[in-house]
Amino acid sequence: MSNFEEFHFDFYQSNYTIDDQEEGYNSYGSNENLCGSRNQTGEQPPAGAFAPSEMYLSSPSYTGQILQPTYSPDTLSHLSYADGFDEEPPLLEELGINFEHIWQKTLTVLNPMKPADGSIMNETDLTGPMVFCLALGATLLLAGKVHFGYVYGMSAIGCLAMHALLNLMSVAGVSHGCVASVLGYCLLPMVILSSSAVVFSLQGILGTLLALFIIGWCSLSASKIFTSALAMEGQQLLVAYPCALLYGLFALLTVF
């Protein structure tokens, strides 16, 4: 038993006494008073020192500004580009398709006596010509004639020939697109002739007279538009002759 008591005494032996506890308590009280006095004077305790929770609660709150996002020049350019979509023109206008101008050109072709607007006729609009070429090929197909290749081939050769001729005759000159646009729009009366070939045969006197009338109609409309767009005063008959030759080829395809 003596050995056990000696072991028990050695195991719980410590240098801590009650006097040390009272001294530590007094030092804690003095530290608390010191922190309170520093808190009243506005001083902060040093780093690592003990500070009561009341001191943190009574500390002044943060009064800084809220973080605002900043934009770089690239971000601003993207934002301005996104806002610019509302100001963009419609898709048909960007593609050069104006239904009002198409309708005005069609009415000008249908009425050869109507004066042509040179500013509108000088546009390189190929929407109407493509539609009229397809309509001519479709009506010929209904009549039992598959001539799509001939229609596009003669159109391309005729546009090149008329472009060279008009550049020699006019002072300002003309573009390939303008020539193709005018010749294509003036192909509309030939579509009427090919539509008539679906109903009755044109291989007779009536068909011949109707074909000659359509050729004169197409050539008169084309020459009127060319002279007004290129300011070729007094040269309408000179321009109408090669146009009549070109549209005569389309009439031969339609009749025969």
Side-chain angles (χ1 to χ4, degrees), residues 165-180:
L165 182 62
L166 291 174
N167 280 329
L168 293 175
M169 296 177 63
S170 64
V171 178
V174 64
S175 62
H176 290 88
C178 179
V179 174

PDB file of all heavy atoms in Angstrom, residues 165-180:
ATOM      1  N   LEU A 165     -21.894  47.208-125.344  1.00  0.00           N
ATOM      2  CA  LEU A 165     -22.470  48.201-126.252  1.00  0.00           C
ATOM      3  C   LEU A 165     -22.821  49.497-125.534  1.00  0.00           C
ATOM      4  O   LEU A 165     -22.560  50.601-126.035  1.00  0.00           O
ATOM      5  CB  LEU A 165     -23.704  47.608-126.928  1.00  0.00           C
ATOM      6  CG  LEU A 165     -24.418  48.488-127.960  1.00  0.00           C
ATOM      7  CD1 LEU A 165     -23.485  48.806-129.127  1.00  0.00           C
ATOM      8  CD2 LEU A 165     -25.690  47.807-128.465  1.00  0.00           C
ATOM      9  N   LEU A 166     -23.430  49.380-124.345  1.00  0.00           N
ATOM     10  CA  LEU A 166     -23.829  50.580-123.602  1.00  0.00           C
ATOM     11  C   LEU A 166     -22.619  51.347-123.078  1.00  0.00           C
ATOM     12  O   LEU A 166     -22.668  52.584-122.986  1.00  0.00           O
ATOM     13  CB  LEU A 166     -24.745  50.182-122.443  1.00  0.00           C
ATOM     14  CG  LEU A 166     -26.138  49.670-122.837  1.00  0.00           C
ATOM     15  CD1 LEU A 166     -26.895  49.178-121.615  1.00  0.00           C
ATOM     16  CD2 LEU A 166     -26.934  50.767-123.544  1.00  0.00           C
ATOM     17  N   ASN A 167     -21.549  50.669-122.738  1.00  0.00           N
ATOM     18  CA  ASN A 167     -20.344  51.378-122.313  1.00  0.00           C
ATOM     19  C   ASN A 167     -19.713  52.154-123.467  1.00  0.00           C
ATOM     20  O   ASN A 167     -19.075  53.190-123.248  1.00  0.00           O
ATOM     21  CB  ASN A 167     -19.326  50.386-121.746  1.00  0.00           C
ATOM     22  CG  ASN A 167     -19.640  50.004-120.314  1.00  0.00           C
ATOM     23  OD1 ASN A 167     -20.185  50.795-119.559  1.00  0.00           O
ATOM     24  ND2 ASN A 167     -19.318  48.778-119.937  1.00  0.00           N
ATOM     25  N   LEU A 168     -19.904  51.664-124.682  1.00  0.00           N
ATOM     26  CA  LEU A 168     -19.394  52.399-125.848  1.00  0.00           C
ATOM     27  C   LEU A 168     -20.283  53.589-126.204  1.00  0.00           C
ATOM     28  O   LEU A 168     -19.794  54.608-126.702  1.00  0.00           O
ATOM     29  CB  LEU A 168     -19.287  51.459-127.051  1.00  0.00           C
ATOM     30  CG  LEU A 168     -18.234  50.346-126.951  1.00  0.00           C
ATOM     31  CD1 LEU A 168     -18.321  49.425-128.162  1.00  0.00           C
ATOM     32  CD2 LEU A 168     -16.831  50.933-126.830  1.00  0.00           C
ATOM     33  N   MET A 169     -21.564  53.487-125.922  1.00  0.00           N
ATOM     34  CA  MET A 169     -22.509  54.531-126.314  1.00  0.00           C
ATOM     35  C   MET A 169     -22.696  55.604-125.250  1.00  0.00           C
ATOM     36  O   MET A 169     -23.036  56.750-125.594  1.00  0.00           O
ATOM     37  CB  MET A 169     -23.862  53.898-126.649  1.00  0.00           C
ATOM     38  CG  MET A 169     -23.841  52.968-127.851  1.00  0.00           C
ATOM     39  SD  MET A 169     -25.446  52.192-128.158  1.00  0.00           S
ATOM     40  CE  MET A 169     -26.441  53.622-128.529  1.00  0.00           C
ATOM     41  N   SER A 170     -22.516  55.274-124.000  1.00  0.00           N
ATOM     42  CA  SER A 170     -22.765  56.236-122.921  1.00  0.00           C
ATOM     43  C   SER A 170     -21.456  56.827-122.414  1.00  0.00           C
ATOM     44  O   SER A 170     -20.380  56.236-122.575  1.00  0.00           O
ATOM     45  CB  SER A 170     -23.511  55.559-121.768  1.00  0.00           C
ATOM     46  OG  SER A 170     -22.714  54.541-121.190  1.00  0.00           O
ATOM     47  N   VAL A 171     -21.580  57.982-121.773  1.00  0.00           N
ATOM     48  CA  VAL A 171     -20.401  58.666-121.233  1.00  0.00           C
ATOM     49  C   VAL A 171     -20.087  58.163-119.823  1.00  0.00           C
ATOM     50  O   VAL A 171     -18.921  57.920-119.480  1.00  0.00           O
ATOM     51  CB  VAL A 171     -20.641  60.189-121.216  1.00  0.00           C
ATOM     52  CG1 VAL A 171     -19.433  60.916-120.612  1.00  0.00           C
ATOM     53  CG2 VAL A 171     -20.931  60.691-122.617  1.00  0.00           C
ATOM     54  N   ALA A 172     -21.104  58.007-119.001  1.00  0.00           N
ATOM     55  CA  ALA A 172     -20.886  57.619-117.606  1.00  0.00           C
ATOM     56  C   ALA A 172     -20.540  56.148-117.463  1.00  0.00           C
ATOM     57  O   ALA A 172     -19.835  55.755-116.539  1.00  0.00           O
ATOM     58  CB  ALA A 172     -22.134  57.936-116.773  1.00  0.00           C
ATOM     59  N   GLY A 173     -21.010  55.300-118.369  1.00  0.00           N
ATOM     60  CA  GLY A 173     -20.772  53.871-118.240  1.00  0.00           C
ATOM     61  C   GLY A 173     -21.842  53.213-117.380  1.00  0.00           C
ATOM     62  O   GLY A 173     -22.635  53.883-116.700  1.00  0.00           O
ATOM     63  N   VAL A 174     -21.868  51.893-117.410  1.00  0.00           N
ATOM     64  CA  VAL A 174     -22.889  51.136-116.701  1.00  0.00           C
ATOM     65  C   VAL A 174     -22.249  49.862-116.158  1.00  0.00           C
ATOM     66  O   VAL A 174     -21.253  49.364-116.708  1.00  0.00           O
ATOM     67  CB  VAL A 174     -24.069  50.808-117.659  1.00  0.00           C
ATOM     68  CG1 VAL A 174     -23.626  49.900-118.788  1.00  0.00           C
ATOM     69  CG2 VAL A 174     -25.237  50.204-116.902  1.00  0.00           C
ATOM     70  N   SER A 175     -22.819  49.341-115.077  1.00  0.00           N
ATOM     71  CA  SER A 175     -22.294  48.133-114.448  1.00  0.00           C
ATOM     72  C   SER A 175     -23.014  46.899-114.999  1.00  0.00           C
ATOM     73  O   SER A 175     -24.097  46.989-115.597  1.00  0.00           O
ATOM     74  CB  SER A 175     -22.466  48.190-112.933  1.00  0.00           C
ATOM     75  OG  SER A 175     -23.839  48.265-112.592  1.00  0.00           O
ATOM     76  N   HIS A 176     -22.404  45.747-114.770  1.00  0.00           N
ATOM     77  CA  HIS A 176     -23.022  44.498-115.215  1.00  0.00           C
ATOM     78  C   HIS A 176     -24.346  44.241-114.481  1.00  0.00           C
ATOM     79  O   HIS A 176     -25.301  43.728-115.077  1.00  0.00           O
ATOM     80  CB  HIS A 176     -22.070  43.323-114.973  1.00  0.00           C
ATOM     81  CG  HIS A 176     -20.871  43.322-115.862  1.00  0.00           C
ATOM     82  ND1 HIS A 176     -19.701  43.991-115.543  1.00  0.00           N
ATOM     83  CD2 HIS A 176     -20.655  42.742-117.080  1.00  0.00           C
ATOM     84  CE1 HIS A 176     -18.815  43.809-116.498  1.00  0.00           C
ATOM     85  NE2 HIS A 176     -19.361  43.056-117.449  1.00  0.00           N
ATOM     86  N   GLY A 177     -24.388  44.587-113.198  1.00  0.00           N
ATOM     87  CA  GLY A 177     -25.612  44.359-112.435  1.00  0.00           C
ATOM     88  C   GLY A 177     -26.777  45.188-112.927  1.00  0.00           C
ATOM     89  O   GLY A 177     -27.919  44.714-112.959  1.00  0.00           O
ATOM     90  N   CYS A 178     -26.507  46.428-113.312  1.00  0.00           N
ATOM     91  CA  CYS A 178     -27.585  47.285-113.818  1.00  0.00           C
ATOM     92  C   CYS A 178     -28.130  46.746-115.137  1.00  0.00           C
ATOM     93  O   CYS A 178     -29.347  46.725-115.356  1.00  0.00           O
ATOM     94  CB  CYS A 178     -27.064  48.709-113.986  1.00  0.00           C
ATOM     95  SG  CYS A 178     -28.286  49.871-114.634  1.00  0.00           S
ATOM     96  N   VAL A 179     -27.257  46.300-116.029  1.00  0.00           N
ATOM     97  CA  VAL A 179     -27.703  45.750-117.313  1.00  0.00           C
ATOM     98  C   VAL A 179     -28.535  44.493-117.101  1.00  0.00           C
ATOM     99  O   VAL A 179     -29.601  44.309-117.708  1.00  0.00           O
ATOM    100  CB  VAL A 179     -26.484  45.462-118.216  1.00  0.00           C
ATOM    101  CG1 VAL A 179     -26.906  44.756-119.496  1.00  0.00           C
ATOM    102  CG2 VAL A 179     -25.756  46.749-118.547  1.00  0.00           C
ATOM    103  N   ALA A 180     -28.054  43.601-116.216  1.00  0.00           N
ATOM    104  CA  ALA A 180     -28.803  42.371-115.954  1.00  0.00           C
ATOM    105  C   ALA A 180     -30.146  42.665-115.300  1.00  0.00           C
ATOM    106  O   ALA A 180     -31.151  41.987-115.589  1.00  0.00           O
ATOM    107  CB  ALA A 180     -27.972  41.458-115.054  1.00  0.00           C
TER     108      ALA A 180
END
